[in-house]
């Protein structure tokens, strides 16, 4: 005997799908090709650092602005050096972009490489650039890539690095831009200072305070779209908050709908 679903059950499933889809999926613009290129440089850098037993870096807006300005300056004036066209080194350039109170900074530049893989490989072959990329003290990074059609090198790359004493960032999946798994891997900076940590997906519902450790798995909200993890670490009576965001491409809607339909059918 073949059983056919009741019309009301089918309508319920359709309505449930529409409701869950609207609730779980937040619209997120597609990443541009340039964003993917920059993100790939950061990800490759972090993967190499992790392979060498070092902490991954978090992207900082001020370092990103500084790196982009430096790349634009090199393209505009057709040069490849750490001293910009105004005669400045990385210090005092970084404070002008809002990166202040730092304890350590560094910069890598390159010209002519066509891909993130190529430029990161070249940096690793150069002792000075490799030292920056593998500096255990750095916690934050900014990356830029610009193309100058009528310049000598065509492609210009910049990495700016920094470490501030009051900044303890959280990093999701080594800064991979996207994931299909809602369970992500966190690296939490704070080694040597923090004693406890906790996390949240919405800044309202927090996990319990737990003993600090550098790495932890965490499950973000289901669905698809940008997902932000909020982290707090504390030590010496001081609490520091940080966030990181990843784009979730997978969806748990089918299982949620199946559960809802089963519950409705059992009534």
């Amino acid at each position: 005997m073949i059983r056919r679903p009741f019309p009301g059950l089918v309508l319920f499933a359709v309505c449930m799908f529409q409701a869950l889809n609207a609730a779980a999926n937040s619209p997120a613009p597609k990443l541009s090709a340039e964003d993917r290129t920059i993100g790939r440089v950061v990800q490759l850098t972090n993967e190499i650092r992790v392979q060498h037993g070092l902490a991954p870096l978090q992207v900082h807006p001020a370092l990103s602005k500084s790196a982009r300005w430096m790349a634009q300056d090199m393209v505009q004036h057709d040069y490849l050096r750490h001293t910009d066209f105004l005669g400045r080194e990385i210090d005092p350039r970084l404070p002008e972009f809002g990166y202040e109170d730092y304890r350590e900074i560094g910069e890598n530049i390159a010209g002519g490489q066509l891909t993130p893989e190529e430029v990161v490989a070249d940096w690793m072959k150069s002792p000075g650039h490799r030292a920056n990329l593998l500096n255990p003290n750095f916690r934050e990074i900014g990356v830029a890539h610009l193309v100058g059609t009528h310049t000598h090198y065509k492609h210009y790359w910049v990495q700016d690095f920094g470490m501030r004493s009051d900044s303890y960032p959280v990093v999701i999946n080594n800064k991979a831009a996207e994931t299909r798994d809602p369970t992500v891997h966190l690296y939490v900076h704070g080694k040597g200072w923090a004693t406890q940590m906790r996390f949240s997906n919405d800044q309202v519902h927090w996990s319990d305070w737990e003993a600090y450790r550098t790495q932890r798995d965490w499950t973000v909200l289901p669905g698809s779209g940008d997902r932000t993890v909020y982290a707090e670490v504390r030590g010496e009576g001081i609490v520091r908050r940080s966030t990181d965001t990843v784009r979730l491409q997978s969806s748990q809607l089918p299982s949620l709908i199946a559960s809802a339909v089963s519950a409705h059918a059992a009534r």
Side-chain angles (χ1 to χ4, degrees):
M1 177 179 175
I2 299 176
R3 293 187 176 181
R4 301 184 184 277
F6 294 108
L9 186 59
V10 174
L11 178 61
F12 172 80
V14 171
C15 293
M16 179 61 68
F17 175 83
Q18 293 174 340
L20 289 174
N21 188 60
N25 291 277
S26 57
K30 292 183 178 180
L31 293 174
S32 68
E34 193 55 40
D35 285 340
R36 289 183 180 276
T37 296
I38 292 172
R40 182 61 176 157
V41 172
V42 175
Q43 184 180 2
L44 288 170
T45 297
N46 280 339
E47 288 176 355
I48 290 174
R49 287 178 62 87
V50 170
Q51 289 170 8
H52 285 77
L54 302 174
L57 307 175
Q58 177 59 278
V59 174
H60 191 280
L63 292 177
S64 298
K65 290 179 182 178
S66 174
R68 184 168 180 80
W69 185 92
M70 186 61 180
Q72 289 176 328
D73 197 55
M74 289 193 294
V75 168
Q76 181 179 354
H77 300 288
D78 197 8
Y79 71 89
L80 186 68
R81 62 175 183 269
H82 289 283
T83 304
D84 64 33
F85 201 69
L86 299 177
R88 302 174 302 179
E89 299 288 340
I90 185 173
D91 183 9
R93 190 190 317 128
L94 281 187
E96 293 193 9
F97 292 91
Y99 197 77
E100 302 173 318
D101 300 325
Y102 49 78
R103 294 175 57 186
E104 193 167 347
I105 54 176
E107 183 174 72
N108 285 346
I109 62 173
Q113 296 82 1
L114 301 181
T115 66
E117 288 76 11
E118 185 179 355
V119 72
V120 172
D122 282 353
W123 279 329
M124 286 298 289
K125 295 174 185 176
S126 167
H129 296 94
R130 178 189 176 94
N132 275 335
L133 202 145
L134 296 181
N135 186 321
N137 297 325
F138 290 145
R139 299 175 189 160
E140 297 166 321
I141 188 174
V143 173
H145 166 247
L146 287 178
V147 176
T149 306
H150 302 293
T151 60
H152 178 74
Y153 290 99
K154 310 302 182 188
H155 291 261
Y156 293 79
W157 306 81
V158 180
Q159 284 182 314
D160 281 345
F161 304 92
M163 187 268 277
R164 297 172 296 154
S165 58
D166 63 346
S167 176
Y168 299 98
V170 59
V171 183
I172 300 175
N173 290 351
N174 293 337
K175 282 308 294 177
E178 299 173 332
T179 181
R180 293 186 177 279
D181 189 344
T183 299
V184 297
H185 185 72
L186 307 180
Y187 187 95
V188 189
H189 284 265
K191 189 175 182 180
W193 172 81
T195 57
Q196 291 183 307
M197 62 184 185
R198 67 175 185 167
F199 306 91
S200 174
N201 286 325
D202 57 10
Q203 303 187 80
V204 176
H205 304 93
W206 288 85
S207 64
D208 294 333
W209 285 103
E210 60 188 81
Y212 170 80
R213 57 187 188 275
T214 58
Q215 301 183 60
R216 187 194 198 283
D217 287 341
W218 179 258
T219 302
V220 299
L221 296 175
S224 62
D226 287 347
R227 296 292 183 265
T228 298
V229 176
Y230 301 87
E232 287 187 344
V233 294
R234 66 183 180 186
E236 302 174 358
I238 300 173
V239 176
R240 301 294 186 192
R241 178 177 290 194
S242 63
T243 67
D244 197 11
T245 299
V246 68
R247 185 156 300 177
L248 180 61
Q249 296 289 13
S250 64
S251 173
Q252 294 182 352
L253 287 178
S255 60
L256 291 174
I257 293 170
S259 298
V261 170
S262 297
H264 183 78
R267 293 178 182 175

